[in-house]
Amino acid sequence: MEFRFQRRIRLAPGVRLNTTRLRPGLSLGPPGISLLIRRDGEGESLPVDLEITASGEIRYRHADGTRMTMAEAREVRRCAEGELREALGAHCEALNAQLDRLPRLHEQAPAPDATGYHPRSYPEPPPTPMAETRPAWWQSLWAPARLRHHRENAQREAQHAAAYRAWEWRKAEFDAREFQRQQREDEASWDDPDAMQQTLVERLEELAWPRETLIDFELVDDCRTIAVDIDLPGPEEMPDRRWSMPAKRIKLSPHRLTVTRQRQLYRDYLHGVAFRVLGAAFARLPRIELALVSGYRCLNDPAAEGGERRYLFSVKVTRAQWQGLAFDDLPGLDPGEALAGFALRREMTRGGELCAITPFEPDWRWR
């Protein structure tokens, strides 16, 4: 099947843009941890990588990736039990927090009146001036030493001046980009399709995407309508367990979610993705009057271009309808119910599974 729309962006954690269609490989267990373990009576620290299996067991590896022997792993646990438990406990909380964020993606959607752009301040502080050192008494008495000390101070001053000039260039380039972005969002995003596209990409990048998200979109109807297709993960790609830390063992314990909870989490995630894309479109593109957002799964090789698509939902929203939502209480809003208040194509079985639907097509007769 050919792509319905021509423009494409790929968003992911640590966002990158790409024109290819790739999915990262899935590991069986949660991400691992890298630590520096202090040895008893020694000043050096031992780098240790903790690999966490799907069952929560810990495998100890050296920094180069080689597996530790059983004796080495026991020594690590003996020397650093407290550090290990603290690190694993924090990691467990982080994994559960990621799971808890999945059904709350809609809370990041901007209100429709949040237009315009406020330039950011350059985040890098200027280089710290190097204090001039005073010569020792003997350097003051010996001319060669006094001259060498003077040269060292002059060299440090020159290094600081060079570092400061480089910082000023970076700051000037950053400020120029911020000014251009402000001009683009305040003025060009009203009627320039390229500026509108860049604005949408930048705004979507700023959101925290917990999973890779591939988006196709097109501006039509004299840039008054935006049509968006979202490549969705399958239910098997979603987290299916919570984690806890046993009281007496250095490991994590997985607790599998019920099938009902997994399906609910999946639906909330899909609706949340659609909600935040709608929010970005209406808030950042003031010319847009109608948005069509559809979500699909690729049924064959996800790395193949033009694969067959199975659409799971399609929603049509006008700006007036979107402005009627309660954006002052997004945590209390159910994104699935909110989307059901618009023109929505979505079919579910009694068990809560989403069925295939026919998505909306851009239609200029709506006005």
Side-chain angles (χ1 to χ4, degrees), residues 239-288:
D240 61 354
R241 64 198 70 189
R242 299 188 71 85
W243 298 87
S244 64
M245 183 77 183
K248 297 183 179 180
R249 293 191 62 190
I250 300 178
K251 69 181 295 286
L252 296 183
S253 296
H255 306 279
R256 189 174 293 275
L257 304 177
T258 65
V259 173
T260 300
R261 178 57 184 149
Q262 290 182 49
R263 290 175 179 171
Q264 179 64 47
L265 183 68
Y266 184 62
R267 294 196 304 272
D268 289 345
Y269 174 79
L270 303 191
H271 295 146
V273 170
F275 196 95
R276 62 161 51 180
V277 170
L278 283 165
F282 281 122
R284 308 311 180 191
L285 304 179
R287 187 179 178 87
I288 294 297

Side-chain angles (χ1 to χ4, degrees), residues 72-224:
E72 289 174 327
R74 282 196 301 270
E75 182 66 13
V76 168
R77 289 193 294 267
R78 185 189 68 82
C79 294
E81 179 179 356
E83 293 177 65
L84 292 172
R85 293 191 62 82
E86 181 179 356
L88 287 171
H91 193 59
C92 179
E93 292 179 2
L95 292 173
N96 291 334
Q98 292 175 9
L99 180 68
D100 293 336
R101 281 195 295 269
L102 289 178
R104 302 204 308 268
L105 298 185
H106 67 286
E107 296 178 14
Q108 286 191 352
D113 58 353
T115 55
Y117 181 70
H118 301 286
R120 299 170 295 171
S121 299
Y122 186 50
E124 179 187 350
T128 304
M130 297 184 180
E132 183 174 334
T133 61
R134 301 186 61 180
W137 64 269
W138 59 273
Q139 290 175 317
S140 301
L141 298 177
W142 190 32
R146 185 171 62 252
L147 181 60
R148 183 168 60 251
H149 179 268
H150 176 74
R151 286 198 301 267
E152 291 173 351
N153 272 335
Q155 184 179 11
R156 283 193 290 269
E157 184 176 349
Q159 290 173 346
H160 174 263
Y164 194 86
R165 286 194 298 272
W167 175 84
E168 286 185 315
W169 276 109
R170 293 193 298 273
K171 182 179 184 301
E173 292 174 349
F174 177 89
D175 290 342
R177 289 194 300 270
E178 289 295 294
F179 177 75
Q180 291 173 357
R181 182 171 177 180
Q182 182 183 30
Q183 293 294 103
R184 184 173 62 251
E185 293 208 18
D186 288 351
E187 300 175 11
S189 63
W190 281 89
D191 52 18
D192 184 339
D194 291 334
M196 295 174 72
Q197 175 186 355
Q198 188 171 354
T199 295
L200 181 63
V201 169
E202 289 172 341
R203 289 298 189 171
L204 290 175
E205 283 182 343
E206 291 176 343
L207 299 173
W209 295 91
R211 304 191 68 82
E212 181 183 76
T213 305
L214 188 66
I215 295 178
D216 304 324
F217 69 98
E218 195 73 41
L219 295 166
V220 295
D221 189 21
D222 194 24
C223 293
R224 289 183 171 85

Side-chain angles (χ1 to χ4, degrees), residues 345-365:
R345 292 180 181 176
R346 180 189 63 190
E347 295 182 10
M348 289 189 293
T349 66
R350 292 185 177 181
E353 292 183 275
L354 293 171
C355 304
I357 56 97
T358 301
F360 288 112
E361 295 285 348
D363 183 358
W364 293 269
R365 296 171 298 174

